[in-house]
Amino acid sequence: MMLPVLVPVAEWLLAGLLVFGSLFVLLAALGVARMPDLFTRMQPASKATTLGTGCLLLAVALATDDPGVRTRALAAVVFVLLTAPVAAHMIARAGYLDGADLWDGTLVDEWQGRQPGRSRGASTPRGDERWGAGTPNTRS
């Protein structure tokens, strides 16, 4: 139930959330397609998608009168806000440790030297070379 005077305001807010949410999801898709490597693709995949999804779910919560749907939409917003950054971090870490190539324009590699056999900007050797001589390769 909403006061009749607030209905136009709610409709404009709903339209704005839908437009901004759709725009951010579109920008995230373009960013994933345009970025040069895994680590730069993580930015639009996590940040813009989180913001876009949050706006769209808030629009769903605003558009319905059902308290169950509204609660689930808000819970989904909280879930996405909590899990998307952690998932992006874990995917980037796994990609780095698996030897994903860095973009040629990468200036800082804070993990350089933590992974044996990895050199910046070059592909990582596979197999025994990767983990050093004498170290058993338990990953294959």
Side-chain angles (χ1 to χ4, degrees), residues 37 39-40 101-109 120:
D37 70 346
F39 305 105
T40 53
D101 291 335
L102 298 176
W103 177 44
D104 292 337
T106 300
L107 298 177
V108 177
D109 181 5
R120 194 173 140 209

Side-chain angles (χ1 to χ4, degrees), residues 37-136:
D37 70 346
L38 170 74
F39 305 105
T40 53
R41 286 184 189 128
M42 298 304 296
Q43 296 290 324
S46 61
K47 292 179 182 174
T49 303
T50 300
L51 189 57
T53 306
C55 286
L56 292 174
L57 287 170
L58 287 176
V60 168
L62 187 63
T64 185
D65 287 333
D66 185 4
V69 172
R70 187 172 287 169
T71 302
R72 285 191 289 268
L74 294 177
V77 170
V78 171
F79 180 77
V80 168
L81 285 175
L82 291 177
T83 59
V86 175
H89 173 77
M90 296 308 293
I91 291 170
R93 180 185 167 120
Y96 187 89
L97 293 177
D98 195 43
D101 291 335
L102 298 176
W103 177 44
D104 292 337
T106 300
L107 298 177
V108 177
D109 181 5
E110 292 182 353
W111 278 21
Q112 191 172 17
R114 284 186 165 184
Q115 182 188 17
R118 181 182 179 99
S119 60
R120 194 173 140 209
S123 63
T124 302
R126 301 283 179 196
D128 292 338
E129 297 174 10
R130 181 180 196 177
W131 303 104
T135 303

